[in-house]
């Protein structure tokens, strides 16, 4: 019996040049997997692909479909509350995020100090981030209540000061939501920047000290340039996260007084469920995309940066 | 162990999908007699118990199975909107807030329930039946899209004990609008002088959240002559000088009460339950809130106060001495399009509105909600005898023996959006915080209302 290999033409010869190219592509997709290994690999991927389509692709596509009617945006832009909300969102992102990251940068330097007490203080400091968000936001809402809130009653009982009703004017109310957001997330970003600082080799600082750069000069010329990329990435990430931050506004101010402190995330919910116009709610959230997409692109580009010029 | 190949994987997957697809009709058939119901949780446990009893009685009588969920009213609204948007709906829904019915009817999202309403329509308050006759903008016609089954009015709730503590008597409370409101100002002042630093005259809700702010504002508007703000054919009537004057006066009056400190500052952020809580904690001497929920929430935990200290009172007369109208609200059951068991849902709705069954259910809920059948109230001393309950008779008096108006959203769903956007409460905020003139604030509100009305043009 003749050897089959000598009788049958090779697979490449049977398929011809185009078939061979296709087979090459298949091999590229398969990698080094053989036979049932490939089937098992597919089997393990199928659940993830299903979940990805069911819970990522479908909801996003459904949302974009819901917000695809141009007339929704005409309705949106004619609503005076939407205009106020855009201003609030810009203020929330511009002020709260930058203040939070700047404070985190300073505090990360403080927590670099040696000594057991800074470590103990760090443990206490991270508590606001570690505790569940909603009960604390609701507690803050009640603490700021003008009539029976803890803060105003303490100020009155201890110092006979009649404090303002924090949640009854737009600016003190929005300020309260921003302070709450900073209080909640400051520890997280401080720890991230602290990790960044700890990754700077001590030799660099020691060399700078030999050259006479200490304190603020060392920070400006050595630490900050090395941290700058991380700081920018943290700011971009925090902006992207906070653009969808619903909780710190909804549970502290409820969007009030008179719907004057909504941000886009809370306004979307107001349209969807209070006004029973879910499409308008989706449109309100989609209207943040012109800001969100460039932020994501800048963020992706920043991840490519690999060198720092001191 | 068999070797898994690409073909065997595809074969197994197709087999599993086919088996699931073929099995589904049998599962659906097995549930054909099950009616999926979403019901709203009560303020007191007795309300939920009354529905449980009703459900058991219906199951026994019909042989159907009720698969029901009792849901708090705030998340219920979100569930309803999510269900109708996604198309994954139950068979029967307790519509809350009630304006969800004209809204969903407008969008053509509800099943026509004329055959259900017709079974008892002749016995209902005409207003109750009329309020379920909504416009369907898809089919360009009106029909019954909700099944009315209970009603309510908005009474005043007063701490009689605080009035007396301040050195006044409940019998001193005037029976015309402005003197009635002003009566509580010195009461609060006296109480504050006695050390109750945070006790306010009223718990009027001036926020832009929920139903209470609109109900409060609309009663003020009615008191000052603005009751015809929406015509019966669903048009906004803001150009009527009497309406405009009534609205301006109402906005000015509520803004002044807020600015002068007769309403708690936090009221600007209150939701529907917050004024009840404020009243229970004696933060306010008086509250204006729909149904008897304020009193009934005290029945168990503050029983002595329920019996002897709190007074329920209908709104007083107009300033010129004429009887004042209240708004009579109606609650509905609705069947969303896409419901699997429409016939079962209609059957349950028909059973719920049978007068005797309905009376038993409402009495089980301690009369927080009123019947929509006047005869049920007239022929049953349970509703009218003060010896049986001190709070029910004035509530019934207000609903059945005094003039009543429907909520305006029964004429047009545009008013449902006005209710939820609260333009008049925004106007109050413009005056109190933004320093705007009251006439300018009302003009701004009217402009917004006109914009809303242009979206809801009724052609029938």
């Amino acid at each position: 019996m003749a050897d089959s290999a000598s009788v049958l033409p090779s697979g490449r010869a049977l398929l011809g040049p185009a078939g061979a190219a296709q087979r090459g592509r298949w091999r590229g997709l398969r990698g080094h997997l053989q036979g049932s290994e490939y089937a098992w690999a597919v089997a393990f991927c199928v659940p993830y692909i299903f979940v990805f389509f069911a819970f990522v692709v479908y909801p996003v596509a459904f949302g974009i479909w819901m917000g695809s009617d141009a007339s929704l945006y005409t309705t949106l832009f004619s609503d005076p509350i939407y205009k106020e909300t855009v201003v609030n969102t810009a203020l929330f992102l511009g002020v709260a995020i930058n203040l939070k990251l700047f404070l985190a940068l300073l505090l990360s330097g403080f927590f670099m100090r040696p000594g057991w007490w800074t470590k103990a203080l760090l443990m206490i400091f991270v508590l606001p981030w570690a505790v569940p968000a909603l009960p604390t936001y609701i507690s803050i809402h009640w603490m700021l209540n003008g009539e029976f809130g803890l803060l105003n009653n303490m100020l009155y009982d201890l110092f006979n000061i009649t404090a303002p009703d924090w949640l009854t004017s737009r600016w003190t109310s929005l300020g309260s939501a921003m302070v709450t957001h900073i209080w909640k997330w400051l520890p997280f970003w401080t720890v991230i920047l602290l990790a960044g600082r700890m990754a700077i080799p001590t030799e660099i600082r020691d060399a700078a000290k030999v050259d006479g750069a200490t304190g603020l000069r060392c920070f400006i010329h050595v630490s900050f340039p090395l941290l700058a990329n991380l700081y920018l990435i943290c700011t971009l990430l925090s902006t992207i996260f906070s653009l969808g931050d619903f909780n710190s506004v909804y549970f502290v101010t409820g969007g009030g007084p008179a719907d004057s402190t909504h941000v886009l995330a809370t306004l979307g919910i107001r349209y969807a469920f209070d006004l029973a116009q879910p499409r308008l709610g989706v449109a309100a959230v989609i209207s943040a995309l012109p800001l969100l997409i460039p932020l994501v692109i800048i963020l992706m580009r920043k991840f490519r940066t690999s060198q720092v010029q001191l | 162990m068999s070797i898994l190949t690409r073909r065997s994987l595809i074969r197994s997957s197709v087999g599993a999908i086919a088996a699931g697809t073929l099995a589904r009709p049998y599962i659906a058939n097995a549930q054909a007699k099950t009616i999926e119901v979403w019901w709203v949780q009560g303020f007191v446990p007795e309300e939920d118990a009354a529905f449980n009893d009703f459900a058991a009685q219906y199951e026994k009588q019909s042989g159907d199975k009720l698969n029901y969920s009792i849901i708090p009213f705030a998340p219920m609204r979100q569930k309803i909107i999510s269900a109708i948007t996604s198309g994954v709906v139950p068979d029967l829904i307790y519509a809350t807030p009630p304006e969800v019915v004209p809204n969903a009817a407008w969008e053509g999202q509800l099943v026509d329930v004329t055959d259900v309403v017709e079974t008892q329509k002749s016995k209902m308050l005409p207003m109750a039946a009329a309020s379920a006759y909504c416009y369907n903008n898809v089919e360009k016609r009106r029909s019954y899209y909700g099944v009315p089954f209970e009603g309510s009015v908005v009474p005043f709730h007063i701490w009689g004990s605080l009035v007396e503590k301040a050195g006044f008597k409940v019998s001193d409370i005037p029976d015309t609008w402005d003197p009635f409101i002003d009566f509580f100002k010195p009461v609060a002042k006296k109480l504050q002088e006695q050390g109750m630093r945070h006790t306010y005259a009223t718990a009027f809700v001036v926020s832009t959240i929920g139903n209470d702010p609109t109900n409060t504002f609309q009663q003020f508007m009615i008191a000052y002559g603005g009751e015809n703000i929406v015509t019966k054919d669903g048009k906004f009537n803001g150009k009527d000088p009497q309406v405009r004057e009534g609205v301006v006066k109402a906005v000015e009056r509520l803004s002044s009460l807020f600015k002068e400190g007769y309403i708690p500052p936090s009221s600007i952020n209150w939701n529907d339950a917050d004024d009840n809580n404020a009243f229970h904690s004696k933060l306010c001497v008086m509250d204006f809130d729909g149904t008897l929920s304020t009193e009934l929430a005290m029945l168990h935990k503050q029983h002595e106060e329920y019996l002897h200290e709190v007074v329920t009172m209908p709104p007083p007369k107009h300033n010129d001495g004429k009887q004042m109208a209240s708004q009579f609200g109606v609650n509905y059951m609705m069947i969303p399009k896409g419901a699997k068991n429409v016939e079962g849902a209609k059957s349950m709705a028909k059973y719920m509105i049978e007068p005797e069954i309905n009376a038993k259910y409402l009495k089980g809920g301690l009369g927080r909600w009123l019947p929509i059948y006047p005869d049920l109230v007239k022929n049953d001393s349970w509703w009218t005898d003060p010896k049986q309950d001190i709070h029910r008779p004035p509530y019934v008096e207000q609903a059945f023996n005094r003039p009543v108006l429907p909520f305006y959203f029964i004429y047009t769903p545009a008013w449902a959006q006005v209710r939820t956007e609260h333009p008049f409460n925004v106007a109050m905020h413009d005056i109190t915080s933004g320093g705007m003139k009251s006439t300018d604030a009302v003009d701004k509100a009217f402009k917004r209302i006109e914009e809303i009305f242009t979206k809801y043009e009724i052609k029938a």
Side-chain angles (χ1 to χ4, degrees):
Chain A
M1 194 176 144
D3 181 358
S4 61
S6 64
V7 175
L8 293 172
S10 70
R12 190 178 291 271
L14 271 175
L15 291 167
Q22 194 181 2
R23 194 166 168 175
R25 279 199 294 274
W26 267 109
R27 278 207 180 129
L29 281 172
R30 283 170 170 242
H32 298 291
L33 299 174
Q34 299 287 324
S36 69
E37 284 177 349
Y38 178 70
W40 277 112
V42 171
F44 281 117
C45 286
V46 163
Y48 172 72
I49 292 166
F50 172 78
V51 168
F52 181 75
F53 272 88
F55 297 106
V56 180
V57 175
Y58 174 71
V60 169
F62 187 64
I64 290 170
W65 172 75
M66 281 181 78
S68 60
D69 185 351
S71 69
L72 290 171
Y73 298 91
T74 312
T75 308
L76 204 59
F77 300 142
S78 70
D79 184 355
I81 290 173
Y82 177 76
K83 290 168 196 158
E84 274 188 346
T85 300
V86 171
V87 173
N88 293 342
T89 309
L91 284 172
F92 196 90
L93 296 178
V95 177
I97 304 303
N98 284 300
L99 188 57
K100 177 181 68 179
L101 265 297
F102 182 66
L103 288 174
L105 181 67
L106 298 185
L107 282 165
S108 64
F110 169 76
F111 286 117
M112 282 288 284
R113 295 174 71 88
W116 65 267
W117 64 275
T118 46
K119 304 286 176 283
L121 205 58
L122 182 60
M123 275 176 62
I124 297 167
F125 179 71
V126 298
L127 279 179
W129 175 65
V131 294
L134 298 196
T136 48
Y137 289 153
I138 293 167
S139 301
I140 289 169
H141 173 83
W142 288 113
M143 278 169 63
L144 296 174
N145 183 287
E147 290 98 42
F148 36 81
L150 178 75
L151 181 63
N152 282 14
N153 277 316
M154 267 176 60
L155 289 171
Y156 185 82
D157 292 341
L158 297 176
F159 308 109
N160 207 23
I161 294 171
T162 304
D165 292 301
W166 305 101
L167 302 178
T168 61
S169 93
R170 180 184 178 188
W171 300 118
T172 53
S173 207
L174 190 62
S176 302
M178 286 184 191
V179 170
T180 304
H181 173 88
I182 292 170
W183 171 83
K184 177 72 186 164
W185 292 104
L186 182 61
F188 175 79
W189 294 109
T190 303
V191 170
I192 296 289
L193 291 173
L194 179 62
R197 278 179 186 271
M198 289 165 78
I200 299 172
T202 50
E203 293 85 355
I204 296 177
R205 275 204 214 93
D206 292 342
K209 275 181 193 166
V210 170
D211 292 343
T214 54
L216 188 63
R217 282 168 67 100
C218 181
F219 174 75
I220 292 170
H221 295 291
V222 179
S223 302
F224 190 69
L226 290 167
L227 281 173
N229 199 43
L230 175 66
Y231 185 81
L232 189 58
I233 286 172
C234 288
T235 306
L236 289 168
L237 267 178
S238 181
T239 307
I240 292 165
F241 291 162
S242 305
L243 196 54
D245 184 12
F246 170 83
N247 296 339
S248 56
V249 174
Y250 188 81
F251 290 99
V252 173
T253 74
D259 293 314
S260 63
T261 61
H262 279 293
V263 290
L264 287 172
T266 58
L267 188 72
I269 296 295
R270 174 181 176 266
Y271 284 138
F273 296 116
D274 292 348
L275 271 62
Q277 296 182 40
R279 285 169 183 268
L280 197 58
V282 171
V285 176
I286 285 179
S287 72
L289 287 182
L291 174 63
L292 190 64
I293 290 170
L295 283 175
V296 173
I297 291 170
I298 295 169
L299 183 68
M300 291 298 114
R301 290 188 167 209
K302 279 288 142 195
F303 277 133
R304 288 187 204 155
T305 308
S306 57
Q307 287 187 334
V308 174
Q309 180 68 52
L310 286 178
Chain B
M1 187 180 136
S2 61
I3 294 171
L4 185 68
T5 62
R6 193 167 74 234
R7 279 183 186 164
S8 72
L9 179 72
I10 293 167
R11 208 164 43 229
S12 322
S13 304
V14 169
I17 293 165
T21 311
L22 292 171
R24 279 189 63 185
Y26 296 102
I27 295 164
N29 284 342
Q31 293 175 338
K33 286 265 182 180
T34 299
I35 308 162
E36 192 181 343
V37 179
W38 289 355
W39 209 252
V40 167
Q41 191 179 44
F43 259 57
V44 284
E46 285 83 352
E47 286 184 76
D48 299 339
F51 185 72
N52 291 333
D53 292 346
F54 164 83
Q57 194 176 338
Y58 175 73
E59 284 181 334
K60 192 176 168 189
Q61 183 269 342
S62 66
D64 289 346
K65 167 98 179 88
L66 288 191
N67 178 17
Y68 63 92
S69 309
I70 295 180
I71 302 156
F73 75 91
M76 178 69 148
R77 181 190 188 112
Q78 298 182 1
K79 273 183 76 81
I80 292 171
I81 292 163
S82 303
I84 290 178
T85 305
S86 67
V88 183
V89 292
D91 299 315
L92 188 79
I93 303 176
Y94 180 127
T96 187
E99 57 260 38
V100 75
V101 172
N103 269 337
W106 173 271
E107 301 287 348
Q109 293 166 328
L110 299 180
V111 171
D112 189 323
V113 288
T114 303
D115 52 336
V116 179
V117 177
E118 286 293 345
T119 60
Q120 305 295 340
K121 189 176 149 192
S122 61
K123 297 175 195 161
M124 288 178 188
L125 271 175
M127 186 197 298
S131 70
Y133 196 62
C134 303
Y135 187 74
N136 181 331
N137 193 45
V138 177
E139 297 178 10
K140 308 289 181 199
R141 67 183 182 93
R142 280 188 183 268
S143 192
Y144 290 100
Y145 288 102
V147 182
F149 72 103
E150 61 185 18
S152 67
V153 285
V154 189
F156 282 95
H157 316 274
I158 299 162
W159 276 108
S161 55
L162 289 184
V163 170
E164 285 169 10
K165 189 176 177 187
F168 299 85
K169 290 179 188 166
V170 172
S171 56
D172 293 338
I173 298 174
D175 70 343
T176 50
W177 183 258
D178 278 332
F180 175 88
I181 303 290
D182 290 337
F183 173 84
F184 295 95
K185 292 180 175 178
V187 172
K189 290 265 183 218
K190 292 270 183 194
L191 292 169
Q192 286 164 7
E193 284 165 14
Q194 290 174 31
M196 296 178 76
R197 192 165 70 92
H198 287 307
T199 296
Y200 294 82
T202 82
F204 291 139
V205 186
V206 292
S207 69
T208 52
I209 312 160
N211 297 311
D212 290 349
T214 311
N215 293 348
T216 303
F217 174 78
Q218 287 182 178
Q219 193 62 52
F220 271 78
M221 185 178 71
I222 291 165
Y224 296 120
E227 65 190 47
N228 295 320
I229 194 162
V230 182
T231 62
K232 287 181 180 170
D233 58 351
K235 303 279 190 302
F236 176 55
N237 199 24
K239 289 196 169 66
D240 181 333
Q242 192 187 340
V243 167
R244 191 173 185 283
E245 189 187 343
V247 171
V248 171
K249 277 187 179 173
V251 167
E252 278 176 352
R253 185 79 156 119
L254 273 164
S255 304
S256 314
L257 288 168
F258 183 74
K259 274 198 292 191
E260 291 163 11
Y262 295 110
I263 299 173
S266 58
S267 163
I268 203 164
N269 287 315
W270 280 354
N271 209 327
D272 283 339
D274 290 323
D275 60 320
N276 301 47
N277 295 332
F279 183 81
H280 294 148
S281 60
K282 297 189 178 173
L283 184 72
C284 313
V285 182
M286 170 262 275
D287 187 21
F288 182 68
D289 187 61
T291 78
L292 286 184
S293 62
T294 303
E295 288 82 358
L296 290 173
M298 301 168 72
L299 185 64
H300 299 300
K301 290 181 184 167
Q302 293 172 277
H303 189 64
E304 284 303 308
E305 291 163 322
Y306 174 89
L307 288 178
H308 305 298
E309 294 189 28
V310 173
V311 179
T312 306
M313 207 175 266
K317 293 172 183 162
H318 280 283
N319 286 332
D320 61 7
K322 284 183 190 162
Q323 202 62 262
M324 172 133 41
S326 306
Q327 292 205 298
F328 188 101
V330 177
N331 283 339
Y332 318 88
M333 295 170 278
M334 64 182 192
I335 303 172
K337 275 193 178 161
K340 291 186 184 72
N341 192 353
V342 171
E343 287 314 307
K346 284 187 173 181
S347 162
M348 191 200 116
K350 278 180 191 167
Y351 192 66
M352 173 56 95
I353 62 170
E354 281 182 24
E356 294 75 23
I357 303 296
N358 188 251
K360 188 181 170 192
Y361 166 71
L362 296 175
K363 285 165 77 172
L366 304 179
R368 177 187 168 205
W369 298 100
L370 294 163
I372 50 169
Y373 305 109
D375 288 346
L376 278 184
V377 175
K378 284 176 192 163
N379 300 329
D380 188 347
S381 64
W382 188 88
W383 292 99
T384 51
D385 182 1
K387 287 177 191 156
Q388 298 197 46
D389 185 271
I390 195 74
H391 302 292
R392 272 197 300 272
Y395 182 47
V396 168
E397 162 74 15
Q398 181 182 345
F400 293 99
N401 297 328
R402 301 216 180 169
V404 285
L405 291 167
F407 279 98
Y408 300 117
F409 58 76
I410 78 162
Y411 302 133
T412 166
W415 200 259
Q417 188 175 335
V418 171
R419 273 179 74 84
T420 45
E421 282 202 21
H422 303 91
F424 299 119
N425 296 74
V426 173
M428 282 179 232
H429 186 69
D430 288 338
I431 295 166
T432 55
S433 294
M436 201 182 269
K437 275 171 60 183
S438 56
T439 46
D440 293 343
V442 168
D443 285 343
K444 184 184 156 202
F446 276 14
K447 184 170 172 273
R448 179 66 188 153
I449 294 169
E450 280 162 4
E451 282 170 8
I452 294 169
F453 268 68
T454 55
K455 291 193 295 177
Y456 295 94
E457 196 182 340
I458 293 175
K459 292 180 178 164

